[in-house]
Amino acid sequence: VQLQASGGGLVQAGGSLRLTCATSIRTFRSYAWFRQVPGKEREFVAAIMDGSSKIYYTDSVKGRFTISRDNAKNTVVLEMNSLKPEDTAVYYCAAGNPIVSSVRASEAYRNWGQGTQVTVSS
């Protein structure tokens, strides 16, 4: 299974970025985005599950980030608006078959992309 994340970059606070995760044809129950800064554990950001019937966000990005799937293109997109310096991290896409109660747990995903750097300047 290959996951290819792209779309990171440098943006000023208040700006927007669009992250894309290209997935393989194989379908998983959940696709998620996590992020990590040096010295900290990988943090859950958003997940889209069971097609697009279940969507989850961490509290700090609610109302600013939107996760979606494009089945025709086999991609998962994270639209990030109103970016803040604290959103700076390496963002990873992941795919797996977690149960609902584990959708936010990084250990529930076995398939990971290579990460893309997002830097938000103040």
Side-chain angles (χ1 to χ4, degrees):
V1 175
Q2 286 189 326
L3 300 173
Q4 187 77 23
S6 62
L10 172 64
V11 64
Q12 288 188 333
S16 300
L17 282 174
R18 186 174 190 264
L19 302 185
T20 299
C21 180
T23 69
S24 63
I25 295 175
R26 179 181 173 184
T27 302
F28 292 89
R29 186 180 186 191
S30 179
Y31 295 86
W33 289 93
F34 288 78
R35 63 189 180 187
Q36 190 170 23
V37 297
K40 292 190 175 182
E41 292 187 356
R42 196 163 291 188
E43 175 192 26
F44 170 79
V45 177
I48 188 164
M49 195 173 189
D50 292 339
S52 300
S53 63
K54 300 181 182 71
I55 293 177
Y56 305 90
Y57 298 99
T58 191
D59 287 346
S60 63
V61 308
K62 284 181 181 178
R64 301 188 298 122
F65 291 12
T66 303
I67 189 171
S68 62
R69 283 184 65 183
D70 186 332
N71 292 325
K73 296 181 179 179
N74 289 326
T75 59
V76 178
V77 174
L78 185 68
E79 298 276 2
M80 305 187 297
N81 299 310
S82 302
L83 282 161
K84 304 175 181 180
E86 51 264 42
D87 294 318
T88 296
V90 177
Y91 283 70
Y92 297 89
C93 60
N97 298 306
I99 57 177
V100 171
S101 60
S102 298
V103 69
R104 295 176 174 82
S106 60
E107 56 268 23
Y109 297 84
R110 294 191 174 187
N111 305 285
W112 292 86
Q114 82 287 7
T116 184
Q117 177 70 47
V118 170
T119 303
V120 184
S121 63
S122 57

